[in-house]
Amino acid sequence: MADDPLSNSTTNNKRAEGIQLQHGDCESESTAPLLLAPHESYRLSAAILPFLFPALGGLLYGYDIGATSGATISLKSSTFSGTTWYNLSSLQTGLVVSGSLYGALIGSILAFNIADFLGRRRELILSSVSYLIGALLTAAAPNFPIMVVGRFFYGIGIGLAMHAAPMYIAETAPSQIRGMLISLKEFFIVLGMLLGYIAGSLFVEVVSGWRYMYATSTPLCLIMGIGMCWLPASPRWLLLCAIQGKRNIMESKENATRCLCRLRGQASPDLVSEQVDLILDELSYVDQERQAGFSEIFQGKCLKAMIIGCGLVFFQQVTGQPSVLYYAATILQSAGFSGASDATRVSVLLGLLKLIMTGVAVLVVDRLGRRPLLIGGVSGIAVSLFLLSSYYTLLKDAPYVAVIALLLYVGCYQLSFGPIGWLMISEVFPLRLRGRGLSIAVLVNFASNALVTFAFSPLEDLIGTGILFSAFGVIAVASLVFIFFIVPETKGLTLEEIEASL
């Protein structure tokens, strides 16, 4: 074989006799020891594609954010719009910018109902189709209503992809590198933003340039869809369907073994059949036979997972992430940067910083763990927000303070909330309720993003920019307390170990 199997570099010493996640309680009635999987042997080359194609869903999400910033400039230009309906009102511009966000909310709601029926792989295929339809409709739109419909379809793809991609990666990745791979999905989101900003700067002064910006994403939609059709289904989802009586248990076990062989790069089913048996035993031990009911999402260990996951993605947004970036161009202009007058160049600069810091998080998340990155990064976020507040209230003659605060905020966010939020919500939900639980977490993410985006301007007019950033700083401190006392460490644990420990 071309590659040597990689062994577990971070040996999991947390054994099952009363295993307990840091700051997480076990169920009082759990007395039997948790069955532990042996160290997973895998080929790195085999782990790449099962990550890459789902991660393209994140890249397409980021690309839309970046491209739309340039597309709105092009679309509203009488010279470069290439349309007769370029004179858009503020409401129409808002629909262009936030249309995909509304679609993502719809996609999250759809995921709640269809995720467990379709499975992770087919949900990602459906996401790629929605992405493609949305991109084509938007790029070819003959009028404004068709463009808005295209933005909604693209947003539905975002909602489905951001729901299914972390689940598929978490359930198929070796536990040794699961944190790195899911965090790397955030790297792809940021990479997509950077590519969108670059596309905006290239086409912003081209007639109908906004059409090219949106059309550029269509090849990636096709690659994602074709790639997901080629990849195997999640073995854990197949086994879950089997023990719930939806599929034949022996056929599902054989299918799961074949899928896991492909995912680990092992030629012989004998090398992975023991792990499939252990997953089945663990699923039975943690009571996965019953199908999930709606009320169960808010009970027991799923309620604990819901508090952890939804709390993280809520704080991820309400600590001001959309608002700080909104002020980026103004802050850099006040500091006298010559390129700051060009919004697209400023965006590329910040996109590069976000990409670098996300890369750092990806490299260290499975060595340092989730909690240290969250605690350190959110502490930096709080400091940066109070610095921004002081600039707008006390230090208006010292723009370098605002620039330092802006760069500190972006860097710390990409070390903590950016990648770790998506990582944690894909790890903490029980398998039987993972599809529905994660859809609620994704819905909370997009809804809180919309809340902060749309409430910022009225609040700024009401209480002032400085006080508003102080309020974000206080929320960041509250999120730090939440992380310290509520959020567990999941480094090195299998998904079944995490579930049994909640």
Side-chain angles (χ1 to χ4, degrees):
M1 289 189 258
D3 299 314
D4 292 329
L6 299 178
S7 59
N8 187 355
S9 60
T10 56
T11 303
N12 177 15
N13 293 320
K14 300 179 181 178
R15 289 309 180 229
E17 296 84 356
I19 185 172
Q20 183 171 330
L21 290 180
Q22 188 173 356
H23 302 297
D25 298 327
C26 291
E27 297 285 344
S28 59
E29 64 270 20
S30 297
T31 56
L34 175 68
L35 295 170
L36 293 176
H39 297 164
E40 293 182 273
S41 182
Y42 66 95
R43 292 187 181 282
L44 187 60
S45 56
I48 291 174
L49 292 181
F51 155 77
L52 178 62
F53 293 122
L56 287 179
L59 187 143
L60 287 165
Y61 171 40
Y63 181 85
D64 182 70
I65 296 172
T68 298
S69 66
T72 51
I73 297 172
S74 171
L75 188 61
K76 295 171 67 176
S77 169
S78 59
T79 305
F80 300 111
S81 174
T83 68
T84 57
W85 39 276
Y86 62 86
N87 190 21
L88 301 180
S89 67
S90 58
L91 176 61
Q92 289 174 316
T93 304
L95 281 173
V96 172
V97 173
S98 61
S100 61
L101 179 59
Y102 292 127
L105 291 171
I106 296 171
S108 302
I109 296 170
L110 284 174
F112 182 89
N113 295 301
I114 67 173
D116 290 329
F117 169 73
L118 288 179
R120 292 61 165 129
R121 172 177 161 272
R122 284 184 288 186
E123 186 180 351
L124 282 165
I125 294 171
L126 181 60
S127 168
S128 68
V129 172
S130 186
Y131 269 136
L132 181 62
I133 293 172
L136 291 175
L137 279 176
T138 305
N143 52 52
F144 180 76
I146 297 297
M147 183 179 191
V148 172
V149 171
R151 300 291 293 140
F152 269 74
F153 265 98
Y154 197 95
I156 291 172
I158 291 173
L160 294 173
M162 299 311 291
H163 173 261
M167 277 201 300
Y168 185 88
I169 296 170
E171 292 181 5
T172 59
S175 58
Q176 302 98 304
I177 58 172
R178 185 181 66 239
M180 181 185 72
L181 291 180
I182 300 176
S183 301
L184 197 58
K185 185 185 71 69
E186 171 71 15
F187 182 88
F188 268 61
I189 295 175
V190 177
L191 177 61
M193 289 184 195
L194 182 59
L195 293 176
Y197 293 142
I198 292 173
S201 65
L202 290 175
F203 296 122
V204 73
E205 294 184 352
V206 175
V207 176
S208 296
W210 58 275
R211 296 187 187 275
Y212 298 113
M213 295 177 204
Y214 287 121
T216 301
S217 65
T218 54
L220 290 176
C221 302
L222 290 169
I223 293 171
M224 176 187 171
I226 294 170
M228 289 310 306
C229 288
W230 176 80
L231 286 177
S234 162
R236 283 181 168 88
W237 178 75
L238 291 172
L239 295 174
L240 175 66
C241 291
I243 65 173
Q244 290 181 345
K246 299 175 184 177
R247 294 168 182 256
N248 179 276
I249 186 77
M250 292 308 298
E251 290 181 4
S252 295
K253 186 176 175 180
E254 292 175 4
N255 196 6
T257 302
R258 286 194 296 269
C259 291
L260 200 57
C261 284
R262 287 183 60 188
L263 293 166
R264 297 292 179 267
Q266 303 287 1
S268 172
D270 294 336
L271 298 175
V272 296
S273 59
E274 181 183 356
Q275 186 178 353
V276 170
D277 288 335
L278 282 171
I279 293 174
L280 266 175
D281 291 340
E282 288 166 357
L283 292 179
S284 300
Y285 167 69
V286 293
D287 190 25
Q288 301 283 4
E289 290 89 348
R290 294 177 295 108
Q291 294 188 35
F294 179 80
S295 61
E296 291 182 69
I297 298 173
F298 306 100
Q299 297 174 6
K301 58 190 174 186
C302 194
L303 177 60
K304 297 177 185 178
M306 190 72 70
I307 293 171
I308 294 166
C310 291
L312 278 175
V313 295
F314 177 75
F315 282 121
Q316 182 189 63
Q317 299 299 326
V318 298
T319 46
Q321 189 259 152
S323 308
V324 173
L325 295 182
Y326 173 81
Y327 264 84
T330 303
I331 290 170
L332 291 174
Q333 283 175 342
S334 68
F337 282 74
S338 59
S341 58
D342 186 340
T344 57
R345 294 178 186 174
V346 173
S347 299
V348 171
L349 173 66
L350 287 176
L352 282 170
L353 175 62
K354 286 167 71 72
L355 195 67
I356 292 169
M357 298 309 295
T358 307
V360 173
V362 167
L363 293 175
V364 301
V365 65
D366 280 319
R367 282 181 284 177
L368 294 182
R370 286 64 160 151
R371 279 171 54 83
L373 287 177
L374 280 171
I375 292 171
V378 176
S379 299
I381 287 173
V383 170
S384 65
L385 287 167
F386 287 123
L387 280 175
L388 277 174
S389 175
S390 67
Y391 167 71
Y392 282 102
T393 54
L394 303 172
L395 304 172
K396 291 186 177 180
D397 294 330
Y400 64 89
V401 172
V403 174
I404 292 171
L406 172 65
L407 299 180
L408 178 64
Y409 184 96
V410 171
C412 289
Y413 179 87
Q414 294 307 138
L415 276 176
S416 55
F417 274 143
I420 307 301
W422 292 107
L423 168 59
M424 292 294 292
I425 64 173
S426 67
E427 292 181 323
V428 296
F429 286 104
L431 177 58
R432 186 164 55 91
L433 295 155
R434 187 171 293 144
R436 291 189 167 187
L438 201 68
S439 68
I440 293 176
V442 173
L443 183 64
V444 169
N445 177 275
F446 287 118
S448 52
N449 186 315
L451 175 68
V452 173
T453 300
F454 297 126
F456 182 82
S457 293
L459 287 174
E460 184 186 21
D461 293 338
L462 182 65
I463 63 176
T465 307
I467 296 176
L468 185 54
F469 278 126
S470 287
F472 285 140
V474 171
I475 295 173
V477 173
S479 70
L480 195 59
V481 174
F482 172 83
I483 292 164
F484 190 82
F485 289 104
I486 302 296
V487 177
E489 180 57 74
T490 58
K491 179 185 72 171
L493 299 176
T494 67
L495 296 179
E496 289 73 33
E497 289 171 339
I498 295 169
E499 177 174 344
S501 301
L502 278 176

